[in-house]
Structure formats: C-alpha cells, structure tokens
Amino acid sequence: GQLATAGDPRAEEGIGFMYYTGRGVVRDSRQAAKYFYRAANQGEPTSQLLLAMMHFRSDGVPKSMPLALMWAELAMESGQPEAYEVSGRIRQSTTEAERAEGSRLLLRWREIYENSQTRK
C-alpha cells in the first residue's frame, strides 16, 4: 500500500497483521515480521510485543532470546498491557548471558531509533 511504503507505523503494523493471521493474504510469518519490524522500530507497542513472541518461538524470525527480551522490554515501556506477562514468560526461559545480551541490544536500539522517533 501507498501508506506503508511511506512508512506509517500503523499501516505497517496492519499489513504485518494480515500476513501474521492470514487475513486476506496467505499466512506468512516472515513477511509479517518484516512489517512488524518497520512498525516496531518506530515505536509501535503491539508490533514490539509480537516480535518478542516471534523471536521467542522462532516464528518467521530466528529464535533469539536476547531479541525477544529486548522487544518485550520496549513493548512494556510503550505501555502494551500484555507485555508484562510475556516478558515474564520469556525471562523464565533465559540465561544470565542472554539477559545481558538483551540489555546490550536494548541500549543499541535506543541509540539508533529513539532519537529518530517523533512521538514518545
């Protein structure tokens, strides 16, 4: 869509959701992840939460506990109501090293994306 190419995070998330649920298109987690990433990097909480779950389950993206933690943390900060529960579930399955790596990734994400966000 025109809007998604322009990078509107809501539109990106909507398209990602279509692929994720297979609504109107063939279900494709990898395509979904691509759109969720674009929206999540612009601060969309639901996309951030979905990416946390997808990295946790290796669904459309490589399994990565550090990335799952990072996205869950960002979703919590963005006020996603389900993020606390998801974050807790992910934390229980991680090692100390994975948590440390998750924190490192979070810092790097903030350096790259936080300044580029217009809305907070």
Side-chain angles (χ1 to χ4, degrees), residues 1-64:
Q2 217 36 59
L3 211 52
T5 356
D8 178 273
R10 283 279 153 82
E12 306 269 18
E13 188 169 86
I15 294 170
F17 225 84
M18 281 169 59
Y19 280 111
Y20 192 62
T21 55
R23 197 176 309 144
V25 291
V26 178
R27 189 184 183 309
D28 184 339
S29 289
R30 280 178 58 191
Q31 274 295 107
K34 211 157 63 177
Y35 285 101
F36 288 152
Y37 253 94
R38 290 183 197 162
N41 282 332
Q42 293 179 75
E44 275 300 320
T46 301
S47 286
Q48 291 173 340
L49 183 67
L50 285 163
L51 285 172
M53 286 160 38
M54 291 168 86
H55 276 294
F56 183 55
R57 292 197 301 245
S58 174
D59 179 13
V61 288
K63 187 179 183 76
S64 166

Coordinates of all heavy atoms in Angstrom, one line a residue, residues 1-64:
G1 N 0.8 -1.2 0.0 CA 0.0 0.0 0.0 C 0.8 1.2 0.0 O 2.0 1.2 0.4
Q2 N 0.3 2.3 -0.5 CA 0.9 3.6 -0.5 C 1.4 4.1 0.8 O 2.5 4.5 1.0 CB -0.1 4.6 -1.1 CG 0.5 5.7 -2.1 CD 1.6 5.2 -3.0 OE1 1.5 4.2 -3.7 NE2 2.8 5.8 -2.9
L3 N 0.5 3.9 1.8 CA 0.8 4.4 3.2 C 1.9 3.7 3.8 O 2.8 4.3 4.4 CB -0.5 4.2 4.0 CG -0.7 5.2 5.1 CD1 -0.7 6.6 4.6 CD2 -2.1 5.0 5.8
A4 N 2.0 2.4 3.6 CA 3.0 1.5 4.2 C 4.4 1.9 3.6 O 5.4 1.9 4.4 CB 2.7 0.1 4.1
T5 N 4.4 2.1 2.3 CA 5.7 2.5 1.7 C 6.2 3.8 2.3 O 7.4 4.0 2.5 CB 5.6 2.6 0.2 OG1 4.3 2.2 -0.2 CG2 6.6 1.7 -0.5
A6 N 5.2 4.7 2.6 CA 5.6 6.0 3.2 C 6.1 5.8 4.7 O 6.5 6.7 5.3 CB 4.4 6.9 3.2
G7 N 5.9 4.6 5.2 CA 6.4 4.3 6.5 C 5.5 4.6 7.7 O 6.0 4.8 8.8
D8 N 4.2 4.7 7.4 CA 3.3 4.9 8.5 C 3.3 3.7 9.4 O 2.9 2.6 8.9 CB 1.9 5.2 8.0 CG 0.9 5.4 9.1 OD1 0.3 4.4 9.5 OD2 0.7 6.6 9.5
P9 N 3.7 3.8 10.7 CA 3.8 2.6 11.5 C 2.5 1.9 11.7 O 2.5 0.6 11.8 CB 4.3 3.1 12.8 CG 4.2 4.6 12.8 CD 4.1 5.0 11.4
R10 N 1.4 2.6 11.8 CA 0.1 1.9 11.9 C -0.2 1.1 10.7 O -0.7 -0.1 10.8 CB -1.0 2.9 12.1 CG -1.1 3.5 13.5 CD -1.8 2.6 14.5 NE -1.4 2.7 15.8 CZ -1.9 3.6 16.7 NH1 -2.8 4.5 16.2 NH2 -1.4 3.7 17.9
A11 N 0.0 1.6 9.6 CA -0.2 0.9 8.3 C 0.7 -0.3 8.2 O 0.3 -1.4 7.8 CB 0.0 1.8 7.1
E12 N 2.0 -0.1 8.6 CA 2.9 -1.2 8.5 C 2.4 -2.4 9.4 O 2.5 -3.5 9.1 CB 4.3 -0.8 9.1 CG 4.9 0.4 8.4 CD 5.8 0.1 7.3 OE1 5.7 -1.0 6.7 OE2 6.6 1.0 6.9
E13 N 2.0 -2.0 10.7 CA 1.5 -3.0 11.6 C 0.3 -3.7 11.1 O 0.2 -4.9 11.2 CB 1.2 -2.3 12.9 CG 0.8 -3.2 14.0 CD 0.8 -2.5 15.4 OE1 -0.3 -2.0 15.7 OE2 1.8 -2.5 16.1
G14 N -0.6 -2.9 10.4 CA -1.8 -3.5 9.8 C -1.5 -4.6 8.8 O -2.1 -5.7 8.7
I15 N -0.6 -4.3 7.9 CA -0.2 -5.2 6.9 C 0.5 -6.4 7.5 O 0.3 -7.5 7.1 CB 0.8 -4.5 5.8 CG1 0.0 -3.4 5.1 CG2 1.3 -5.5 4.8 CD1 0.8 -2.5 4.2
G16 N 1.4 -6.2 8.5 CA 2.0 -7.3 9.2 C 1.0 -8.2 9.8 O 1.1 -9.4 9.7
F17 N 0.0 -7.6 10.3 CA -1.1 -8.4 11.0 C -1.8 -9.3 10.0 O -2.2 -10.4 10.2 CB -2.1 -7.5 11.7 CG -2.4 -8.0 13.0 CD1 -1.6 -7.7 14.1 CD2 -3.5 -8.8 13.2 CE1 -1.9 -8.2 15.4 CE2 -3.8 -9.2 14.5 CZ -3.0 -8.9 15.6
M18 N -2.0 -8.7 8.8 CA -2.7 -9.5 7.7 C -1.9 -10.8 7.4 O -2.4 -11.9 7.3 CB -2.9 -8.7 6.5 CG -4.1 -7.7 6.5 SD -4.0 -6.5 5.2 CE -4.1 -7.6 3.7
Y19 N -0.6 -10.6 7.2 CA 0.3 -11.7 6.9 C 0.4 -12.7 8.1 O 0.4 -13.9 8.0 CB 1.7 -11.2 6.6 CG 1.8 -10.8 5.2 CD1 2.0 -9.4 4.9 CD2 1.7 -11.7 4.1 CE1 2.1 -9.0 3.6 CE2 1.8 -11.2 2.8 CZ 2.0 -9.9 2.5 OH 2.1 -9.5 1.2
Y20 N 0.4 -12.1 9.3 CA 0.5 -12.9 10.5 C -0.7 -13.8 10.7 O -0.6 -15.0 11.2 CB 0.8 -12.0 11.7 CG 1.2 -12.8 13.0 CD1 2.4 -13.5 13.0 CD2 0.4 -12.7 14.1 CE1 2.8 -14.1 14.1 CE2 0.9 -13.4 15.3 CZ 2.1 -14.1 15.3 OH 2.5 -14.8 16.4
T21 N -1.9 -13.3 10.5 CA -3.1 -14.0 10.7 C -3.6 -14.7 9.4 O -4.5 -15.5 9.5 CB -4.2 -13.1 11.2 OG1 -4.4 -12.0 10.3 CG2 -3.8 -12.5 12.6
G22 N -3.0 -14.3 8.3 CA -3.5 -14.9 7.0 C -4.9 -14.3 6.6 O -5.7 -15.0 6.0
R23 N -5.1 -13.1 7.0 CA -6.4 -12.4 6.7 C -6.3 -11.7 5.4 O -5.5 -10.7 5.3 CB -6.8 -11.5 7.8 CG -8.3 -11.1 7.7 CD -8.6 -10.2 8.9 NE -8.2 -10.7 10.1 CZ -7.8 -10.0 11.2 NH1 -7.7 -8.7 11.1 NH2 -7.5 -10.6 12.3
G24 N -6.9 -12.2 4.3 CA -6.9 -11.6 3.0 C -5.6 -11.9 2.2 O -5.5 -11.6 1.0
V25 N -4.6 -12.6 2.8 CA -3.4 -13.0 2.1 C -3.0 -14.3 2.7 O -3.6 -14.8 3.7 CB -2.2 -12.0 2.4 CG1 -2.5 -10.7 1.7 CG2 -2.0 -11.8 3.9
V26 N -2.1 -15.0 2.0 CA -1.6 -16.3 2.5 C -0.8 -16.0 3.8 O 0.1 -15.1 3.8 CB -0.7 -17.0 1.4 CG1 -0.1 -18.3 2.0 CG2 -1.5 -17.2 0.2
R27 N -1.0 -16.8 4.8 CA -0.3 -16.5 6.1 C 1.2 -16.7 5.8 O 1.6 -17.7 5.3 CB -0.8 -17.6 7.1 CG -0.2 -17.2 8.5 CD -0.6 -18.3 9.5 NE -0.2 -18.1 10.9 CZ 1.0 -17.8 11.3 NH1 2.0 -17.6 10.5 NH2 1.2 -17.6 12.6
D28 N 2.0 -15.7 6.3 CA 3.4 -15.7 6.0 C 4.1 -14.9 7.2 O 4.2 -13.7 7.2 CB 3.7 -15.1 4.7 CG 5.2 -15.1 4.3 OD1 6.0 -15.3 5.2 OD2 5.5 -14.9 3.1
S29 N 4.6 -15.7 8.1 CA 5.2 -15.1 9.3 C 6.5 -14.3 8.9 O 6.7 -13.3 9.6 CB 5.6 -16.1 10.3 OG 4.5 -16.7 10.9
R30 N 7.2 -14.7 7.9 CA 8.4 -14.0 7.6 C 8.0 -12.6 7.0 O 8.7 -11.6 7.3 CB 9.2 -14.7 6.6 CG 10.1 -15.8 7.3 CD 10.9 -16.6 6.3 NE 11.8 -15.8 5.5 CZ 12.4 -16.3 4.5 NH1 12.3 -17.6 4.1 NH2 13.3 -15.6 3.8
Q31 N 7.0 -12.5 6.2 CA 6.5 -11.3 5.6 C 6.0 -10.4 6.8 O 6.3 -9.2 6.9 CB 5.4 -11.5 4.6 CG 5.9 -11.7 3.2 CD 6.6 -10.5 2.7 OE1 7.8 -10.5 2.5 NE2 5.9 -9.4 2.3
A32 N 5.2 -11.0 7.7 CA 4.7 -10.3 8.8 C 5.8 -9.7 9.6 O 5.7 -8.5 10.0 CB 3.9 -11.3 9.7
A33 N 6.8 -10.4 9.9 CA 7.9 -9.9 10.7 C 8.6 -8.7 10.1 O 8.9 -7.8 10.8 CB 9.0 -11.0 10.9
K34 N 8.7 -8.7 8.8 CA 9.3 -7.6 8.0 C 8.5 -6.3 8.3 O 9.1 -5.3 8.6 CB 9.2 -7.9 6.5 CG 10.4 -7.3 5.8 CD 10.7 -8.0 4.5 CE 9.5 -7.9 3.5 NZ 9.9 -8.6 2.2
Y35 N 7.2 -6.4 8.3 CA 6.3 -5.2 8.5 C 6.3 -4.9 10.0 O 6.3 -3.7 10.4 CB 4.9 -5.4 8.0 CG 4.8 -5.3 6.5 CD1 4.8 -6.4 5.7 CD2 4.9 -4.1 5.9 CE1 4.8 -6.3 4.3 CE2 4.8 -3.9 4.5 CZ 4.8 -5.1 3.7 OH 4.7 -5.0 2.4
F36 N 6.3 -5.9 10.9 CA 6.3 -5.6 12.3 C 7.6 -4.9 12.7 O 7.6 -4.0 13.6 CB 6.2 -6.9 13.1 CG 4.8 -7.5 13.1 CD1 4.6 -8.9 13.2 CD2 3.7 -6.7 12.9 CE1 3.4 -9.5 13.2 CE2 2.4 -7.3 12.9 CZ 2.2 -8.7 13.0
Y37 N 8.7 -5.3 12.1 CA 10.0 -4.7 12.4 C 9.9 -3.2 12.0 O 10.4 -2.3 12.8 CB 11.1 -5.3 11.6 CG 12.0 -6.2 12.6 CD1 11.8 -7.5 12.8 CD2 13.0 -5.6 13.3 CE1 12.5 -8.3 13.7 CE2 13.8 -6.3 14.2 CZ 13.5 -7.6 14.4 OH 14.2 -8.3 15.3
R38 N 9.4 -2.9 10.9 CA 9.3 -1.4 10.5 C 8.5 -0.6 11.5 O 8.8 0.5 11.8 CB 8.7 -1.3 9.1 CG 9.6 -1.8 8.0 CD 9.0 -1.6 6.6 NE 9.6 -2.4 5.6 CZ 9.0 -2.7 4.4 NH1 7.8 -2.3 4.2 NH2 9.6 -3.4 3.6
A39 N 7.4 -1.2 11.9 CA 6.5 -0.5 12.8 C 7.1 -0.4 14.2 O 7.1 0.6 14.9 CB 5.1 -1.2 12.9
A40 N 7.7 -1.6 14.6 CA 8.3 -1.7 16.0 C 9.5 -0.7 16.1 O 9.6 -0.1 17.2 CB 8.8 -3.1 16.3
N41 N 10.2 -0.5 15.1 CA 11.4 0.4 15.1 C 10.9 1.9 15.2 O 11.7 2.8 15.5 CB 12.3 0.2 14.0 CG 13.2 -1.0 14.2 OD1 13.5 -1.4 15.3 ND2 13.6 -1.6 13.1
Q42 N 9.6 2.1 14.9 CA 9.0 3.4 15.0 C 8.2 3.5 16.3 O 7.4 4.5 16.5 CB 8.1 3.7 13.8 CG 8.9 3.9 12.5 CD 8.0 4.2 11.4 OE1 7.5 5.3 11.2 NE2 7.8 3.2 10.5
G43 N 8.3 2.5 17.2 CA 7.7 2.6 18.5 C 6.3 2.0 18.6 O 5.6 2.3 19.6
E44 N 5.8 1.2 17.7 CA 4.5 0.6 17.8 C 4.5 -0.5 18.8 O 5.2 -1.6 18.6 CB 4.0 0.1 16.4 CG 3.4 1.1 15.6 CD 2.1 1.7 16.2 OE1 1.3 1.0 16.8 OE2 2.0 3.0 16.1
P45 N 3.8 -0.4 20.0 CA 3.9 -1.4 21.0 C 3.5 -2.8 20.7 O 4.1 -3.7 21.1 CB 3.0 -0.8 22.1 CG 2.8 0.6 21.8 CD 3.0 0.8 20.3
T46 N 2.4 -2.9 19.9 CA 1.9 -4.2 19.5 C 2.8 -4.9 18.6 O 3.1 -6.1 18.8 CB 0.5 -4.1 18.9 OG1 -0.4 -3.4 19.9 CG2 -0.1 -5.5 18.6
S47 N 3.4 -4.2 17.7 CA 4.5 -4.9 16.8 C 5.6 -5.3 17.7 O 6.2 -6.4 17.4 CB 4.9 -3.9 15.7 OG 3.9 -3.8 14.8
Q48 N 6.0 -4.5 18.6 CA 7.2 -4.8 19.5 C 6.8 -6.1 20.3 O 7.7 -7.0 20.4 CB 7.4 -3.7 20.5 CG 8.0 -2.5 19.7 CD 8.1 -1.2 20.6 OE1 7.5 -1.1 21.7 NE2 9.0 -0.3 20.2
L49 N 5.6 -6.2 20.8 CA 5.2 -7.4 21.6 C 5.2 -8.6 20.7 O 5.7 -9.7 21.1 CB 3.9 -7.2 22.2 CG 3.4 -8.3 23.1 CD1 4.3 -8.5 24.3 CD2 2.0 -8.2 23.5
L50 N 4.6 -8.5 19.5 CA 4.6 -9.6 18.6 C 5.9 -10.1 18.2 O 6.2 -11.3 18.1 CB 3.7 -9.3 17.3 CG 2.2 -9.2 17.6 CD1 1.5 -8.4 16.5 CD2 1.6 -10.6 17.7
L51 N 6.9 -9.2 18.0 CA 8.2 -9.6 17.6 C 8.9 -10.3 18.8 O 9.6 -11.3 18.6 CB 9.1 -8.4 17.2 CG 8.8 -7.8 15.8 CD1 9.5 -6.5 15.6 CD2 9.1 -8.9 14.7
A52 N 8.6 -9.9 20.0 CA 9.1 -10.6 21.2 C 8.7 -12.0 21.2 O 9.5 -12.9 21.3 CB 8.7 -9.9 22.5
M53 N 7.4 -12.2 20.9 CA 6.8 -13.6 20.9 C 7.4 -14.4 19.7 O 7.7 -15.6 19.8 CB 5.3 -13.5 20.9 CG 4.8 -13.1 22.2 SD 3.1 -12.4 22.3 CE 2.2 -13.3 21.2
M54 N 7.5 -13.7 18.6 CA 8.0 -14.4 17.4 C 9.5 -14.9 17.5 O 9.9 -16.0 17.2 CB 7.8 -13.5 16.2 CG 6.3 -13.4 15.8 SD 6.0 -12.1 14.6 CE 6.3 -13.0 13.0
H55 N 10.3 -14.0 18.1 CA 11.7 -14.4 18.4 C 11.8 -15.5 19.4 O 12.7 -16.3 19.4 CB 12.6 -13.2 18.8 CG 13.1 -12.4 17.6 ND1 14.0 -12.9 16.7 CD2 12.8 -11.1 17.2 CE1 14.2 -12.0 15.8 NE2 13.5 -10.9 16.1
F56 N 10.9 -15.4 20.4 CA 10.8 -16.4 21.5 C 10.5 -17.8 20.9 O 11.1 -18.8 21.3 CB 9.8 -16.0 22.5 CG 9.7 -16.9 23.7 CD1 10.8 -17.2 24.5 CD2 8.4 -17.4 24.1 CE1 10.6 -18.0 25.6 CE2 8.3 -18.2 25.2 CZ 9.4 -18.5 25.9
R57 N 9.6 -17.8 19.9 CA 9.1 -19.1 19.4 C 9.7 -19.5 18.0 O 9.4 -20.5 17.5 CB 7.6 -19.0 19.1 CG 6.7 -18.9 20.4 CD 5.3 -19.2 20.0 NE 4.8 -18.3 19.0 CZ 3.8 -17.4 19.3 NH1 3.3 -17.3 20.4 NH2 3.4 -16.6 18.3
S58 N 10.6 -18.6 17.5 CA 11.2 -18.9 16.2 C 10.1 -19.0 15.1 O 10.0 -19.9 14.4 CB 12.1 -20.1 16.2 OG 12.5 -20.4 14.9
D59 N 9.3 -17.9 15.1 CA 8.1 -17.9 14.2 C 8.4 -16.8 13.2 O 8.1 -15.6 13.5 CB 6.9 -17.6 15.0 CG 5.6 -17.5 14.2 OD1 5.7 -17.9 13.0 OD2 4.6 -17.1 14.7
G60 N 8.9 -17.1 12.0 CA 9.1 -16.1 11.0 C 10.4 -15.3 11.1 O 10.8 -14.7 10.2
V61 N 11.0 -15.5 12.3 CA 12.3 -14.9 12.5 C 13.2 -15.9 13.3 O 12.6 -16.8 13.9 CB 12.2 -13.6 13.4 CG1 11.6 -12.4 12.6 CG2 11.4 -13.8 14.6
P62 N 14.5 -15.8 13.3 CA 15.3 -16.7 14.0 C 15.0 -16.7 15.5 O 14.7 -15.6 16.0 CB 16.7 -16.2 13.8 CG 16.7 -15.3 12.6 CD 15.3 -14.7 12.6
K63 N 15.1 -17.8 16.2 CA 14.9 -17.8 17.6 C 16.0 -17.0 18.3 O 17.2 -17.2 17.9 CB 14.9 -19.3 18.2 CG 14.6 -19.4 19.6 CD 14.6 -20.9 20.1 CE 14.2 -21.0 21.5 NZ 12.7 -20.9 21.7
S64 N 15.7 -16.1 19.1 CA 16.7 -15.2 19.8 C 16.1 -14.7 21.1 O 15.2 -13.9 21.1 CB 17.1 -14.1 18.9 OG 17.8 -13.1 19.7

